[in-house]
Amino acid sequence: LRLRRVAVPAIGTGTNGFPTGRAADVALREIVAALGHPDGPTEVEVVLHDRRTQAVFRRALERAQDPSRRRPRPTRRSASAR
């Protein structure tokens, strides 16, 4: 598909309880990458359900646009390290 405009919800961050900050970091990192791809969309609308979520996504967008501000990715511990 060569979609030019897409809308993306913050899936799972409401009643399902997925961490909003983590969802924002992942979603916006991928959106910024897609916008930079020649076959990617030219416009992405992120649909958010409240002001708190909007503020979290705004901070994550700033991090996604400025690599020096990115949070380090969490590392997974092996089963033997637990």
Side-chain angles (χ1 to χ4, degrees):
L1 296 173
R2 291 184 183 239
L3 302 173
R4 293 288 156 216
R5 296 178 66 196
V6 295
V8 180
I11 294 174
T13 62
T15 58
N16 290 331
F18 192 82
T20 305
R22 188 167 163 207
D25 286 335
V26 171
L28 292 169
R29 182 177 60 238
E30 295 303 319
I31 290 169
V32 168
L35 288 168
H37 192 278
D39 291 331
T42 56
E43 183 178 332
V44 177
E45 180 177 353
V46 181
V47 181
L48 305 170
H49 52 84
D50 59 32
R51 290 188 189 277
R52 181 190 160 282
T53 304
Q54 184 180 26
V56 171
F57 269 73
R58 180 168 285 122
R59 287 189 302 271
L61 177 59
E62 291 167 0
R63 286 191 301 274
Q65 292 175 322
D66 181 358
S68 69
R69 296 183 62 196
R70 288 189 186 153
R71 291 184 191 169
R73 286 185 176 180
T75 57
R76 294 182 183 226
R77 290 192 265 166
S78 66
S80 61
R82 291 183 194 158

